[in-house]
Amino acid sequence: MESFNKAQGFGPYKLHAKIGKGGVADLFLGTSSKQKDQGHLLAIKKLLPNLSANRPFVEMLVNEAKVGVLLQHPSIASVYDLGSHQSEFFIAMEYVHGKSLDKLNKAILTASGIFLSFHESKNCFSSSFSGRIMRIPSNSSFA
Protein backbone atom coordinates (compact mmCIF):
# COMPACT_ATOMS: atom_id res chain seq x y z
CA MET A 1 0.00 0.00 0.00
CA GLU A 2 1.33 3.40 -0.99
CA SER A 3 0.02 5.89 1.60
CA PHE A 4 -0.08 9.57 0.71
CA ASN A 5 1.31 12.23 3.10
CA LYS A 6 -1.89 14.19 2.53
CA ALA A 7 -5.19 12.96 1.12
CA GLN A 8 -5.58 13.85 -2.56
CA GLY A 9 -8.85 15.39 -3.70
CA PHE A 10 -10.63 13.59 -6.52
CA GLY A 11 -14.07 15.04 -7.21
CA PRO A 12 -16.29 14.32 -4.18
CA TYR A 13 -13.67 11.87 -2.84
CA LYS A 14 -10.38 12.00 -0.99
CA LEU A 15 -7.79 9.40 -1.90
CA HIS A 16 -5.69 8.31 1.09
CA ALA A 17 -3.56 5.50 -0.36
CA LYS A 18 -2.97 3.54 -3.53
CA ILE A 19 -3.85 -0.04 -2.62
CA GLY A 20 -3.61 -1.83 -5.94
CA LYS A 21 -2.81 -1.68 -9.63
CA GLY A 22 -4.12 -3.77 -12.45
CA GLY A 23 -3.82 -3.82 -16.21
CA VAL A 24 -6.61 -1.28 -16.73
CA ALA A 25 -7.10 0.51 -13.41
CA ASP A 26 -5.54 1.72 -10.18
CA LEU A 27 -7.30 1.11 -6.87
CA PHE A 28 -7.31 3.65 -4.05
CA LEU A 29 -8.49 3.72 -0.47
CA GLY A 30 -10.78 6.71 -0.22
CA THR A 31 -13.44 8.58 1.68
CA SER A 32 -16.36 10.64 0.44
CA SER A 33 -17.43 14.19 1.17
CA LYS A 34 -21.02 13.19 0.33
CA GLN A 35 -23.03 13.29 3.53
CA LYS A 36 -24.62 9.86 3.03
CA ASP A 37 -21.18 8.23 2.66
CA GLN A 38 -19.19 10.18 5.25
CA GLY A 39 -17.22 8.03 7.64
CA HIS A 40 -17.15 5.01 5.32
CA LEU A 41 -13.97 3.76 3.70
CA LEU A 42 -14.35 3.28 -0.02
CA ALA A 43 -12.41 1.58 -2.77
CA ILE A 44 -12.03 3.94 -5.71
CA LYS A 45 -11.18 2.19 -8.97
CA LYS A 46 -9.76 4.67 -11.51
CA LEU A 47 -9.29 3.71 -15.13
CA LEU A 48 -5.64 4.25 -16.11
CA PRO A 49 -5.16 7.71 -17.67
CA ASN A 50 -3.98 6.30 -21.01
CA LEU A 51 -7.24 4.28 -21.27
CA SER A 52 -9.71 7.03 -20.34
CA ALA A 53 -9.94 8.13 -23.98
CA ASN A 54 -10.35 4.55 -25.19
CA ARG A 55 -14.08 3.99 -25.60
CA PRO A 56 -14.05 0.16 -25.25
CA PHE A 57 -12.25 0.40 -21.89
CA VAL A 58 -14.61 3.12 -20.65
CA GLU A 59 -17.58 0.96 -21.70
CA MET A 60 -16.04 -2.02 -19.89
CA LEU A 61 -15.79 0.04 -16.67
CA VAL A 62 -19.36 1.29 -17.08
CA ASN A 63 -20.61 -2.28 -17.63
CA GLU A 64 -18.70 -3.47 -14.56
CA ALA A 65 -20.42 -0.79 -12.46
CA LYS A 66 -23.87 -1.61 -13.89
CA VAL A 67 -23.48 -5.30 -13.11
CA GLY A 68 -22.08 -4.49 -9.67
CA VAL A 69 -25.14 -2.39 -8.83
CA LEU A 70 -27.44 -5.27 -9.77
CA LEU A 71 -25.62 -7.84 -7.63
CA GLN A 72 -26.50 -7.82 -3.94
CA HIS A 73 -24.64 -10.43 -1.90
CA PRO A 74 -22.55 -10.39 1.29
CA SER A 75 -19.55 -11.72 -0.66
CA ILE A 76 -19.70 -8.99 -3.32
CA ALA A 77 -18.55 -5.41 -2.71
CA SER A 78 -21.36 -2.92 -3.27
CA VAL A 79 -20.98 -0.30 -6.01
CA TYR A 80 -21.91 3.22 -4.86
CA ASP A 81 -20.94 5.51 -7.71
CA LEU A 82 -19.74 5.67 -11.30
CA GLY A 83 -18.45 8.85 -12.82
CA SER A 84 -15.60 10.89 -14.18
CA HIS A 85 -13.49 13.67 -12.76
CA GLN A 86 -11.19 15.68 -15.01
CA SER A 87 -11.59 13.05 -17.77
CA GLU A 88 -10.67 10.18 -15.41
CA PHE A 89 -13.38 7.52 -15.14
CA PHE A 90 -13.94 5.75 -11.82
CA ILE A 91 -16.10 3.43 -9.76
CA ALA A 92 -16.58 4.05 -6.04
CA MET A 93 -17.37 0.87 -4.15
CA GLU A 94 -17.44 -0.70 -0.74
CA TYR A 95 -13.98 -1.20 0.75
CA VAL A 96 -13.53 -4.71 2.11
CA HIS A 97 -10.66 -4.91 4.58
CA GLY A 98 -8.38 -7.91 4.21
CA LYS A 99 -5.77 -9.49 2.03
CA SER A 100 -6.13 -9.40 -1.72
CA LEU A 101 -6.71 -12.60 -3.65
CA ASP A 102 -3.26 -12.08 -5.18
CA LYS A 103 -1.58 -11.97 -1.74
CA LEU A 104 -3.46 -15.07 -0.56
CA ASN A 105 -2.44 -16.90 -3.73
CA LYS A 106 1.23 -15.90 -3.24
CA ALA A 107 1.10 -17.15 0.37
CA ILE A 108 -0.19 -20.54 -0.85
CA LEU A 109 2.55 -20.71 -3.49
CA THR A 110 5.24 -19.84 -0.92
CA ALA A 111 3.96 -22.31 1.68
CA SER A 112 3.18 -25.25 -0.58
CA GLY A 113 4.72 -24.67 -3.99
CA ILE A 114 1.22 -24.95 -5.51
CA PHE A 115 0.21 -22.27 -7.99
CA LEU A 116 -3.52 -21.63 -8.25
CA SER A 117 -4.94 -20.08 -11.38
CA PHE A 118 -7.24 -17.10 -10.84
CA HIS A 119 -10.27 -19.34 -11.41
CA GLU A 120 -9.03 -22.00 -8.96
CA SER A 121 -8.14 -19.51 -6.23
CA LYS A 122 -11.45 -17.64 -6.65
CA ASN A 123 -13.38 -20.88 -6.28
CA CYS A 124 -11.27 -22.03 -3.33
CA PHE A 125 -11.61 -18.82 -1.34
CA SER A 126 -15.26 -18.18 -2.16
CA SER A 127 -16.07 -21.75 -1.09
CA SER A 128 -14.13 -21.50 2.16
CA PHE A 129 -15.71 -18.14 3.06
CA SER A 130 -19.21 -19.44 2.42
CA GLY A 131 -18.65 -22.58 4.49
CA ARG A 132 -19.06 -24.94 1.54
CA ILE A 133 -16.80 -27.91 0.98
CA MET A 134 -14.33 -27.26 -1.80
CA ARG A 135 -13.93 -29.95 -4.40
CA ILE A 136 -10.79 -29.89 -6.53
CA PRO A 137 -11.55 -30.57 -10.19
CA SER A 138 -9.68 -33.53 -11.65
CA ASN A 139 -8.27 -31.40 -14.47
CA SER A 140 -6.80 -28.92 -11.96
CA SER A 141 -3.09 -28.17 -12.00
CA PHE A 142 -2.80 -29.51 -8.43
CA ALA A 143 -5.26 -32.42 -8.39
Side-chain angles (χ1 to χ4, degrees):
M1 179 177 357
E2 177 188 330
S3 294
F4 304 138
N5 291 333
K6 183 180 177 189
Q8 300 176 0
F10 182 71
Y13 303 100
K14 289 191 178 180
L15 307 179
H16 300 278
K18 185 174 180 180
I19 57 175
K21 181 173 181 64
V24 298
D26 289 329
L27 191 62
F28 297 88
L29 179 64
T31 53
S32 176
S33 60
K34 296 178 181 180
Q35 188 156 1
K36 67 180 179 116
D37 297 326
Q38 283 184 342
H40 298 293
L41 290 176
L42 303 171
I44 310 292
K45 184 176 187 176
K46 288 175 41 177
L47 199 59
L48 294 175
N50 63 315
L51 299 177
S52 285
N54 189 320
R55 186 178 176 102
F57 284 97
V58 172
E59 288 175 356
M60 185 172 63
L61 188 77
V62 169
N63 288 336
E64 178 183 338
K66 286 179 178 179
V67 169
V69 167
L70 296 173
L71 299 173
Q72 301 293 317
H73 189 275
S75 298
I76 300 173
S78 298
V79 172
Y80 300 131
D81 193 11
L82 166 69
S84 67
H85 175 68
Q86 296 179 345
S87 300
E88 291 185 272
F89 292 89
F90 68 90
I91 299 174
M93 61 188 100
E94 175 185 10
Y95 173 72
V96 179
H97 181 73
K99 290 187 165 104
S100 68
L101 186 59
D102 184 51
K103 286 184 181 177
L104 290 170
N105 206 4
K106 285 179 183 171
I108 289 171
L109 178 61
T110 301
S112 66
I114 296 171
F115 176 77
L116 300 177
S117 71
F118 173 77
H119 180 73
E120 291 166 332
S121 58
K122 176 185 69 72
N123 286 341
C124 174
F125 293 118
S126 65
S127 294
S128 64
F129 291 133
S130 67
R132 295 180 301 198
I133 297 170
M134 183 189 81
R135 302 201 190 287
I136 300 172
S138 60
N139 63 347
S140 167
S141 61
F142 58 92

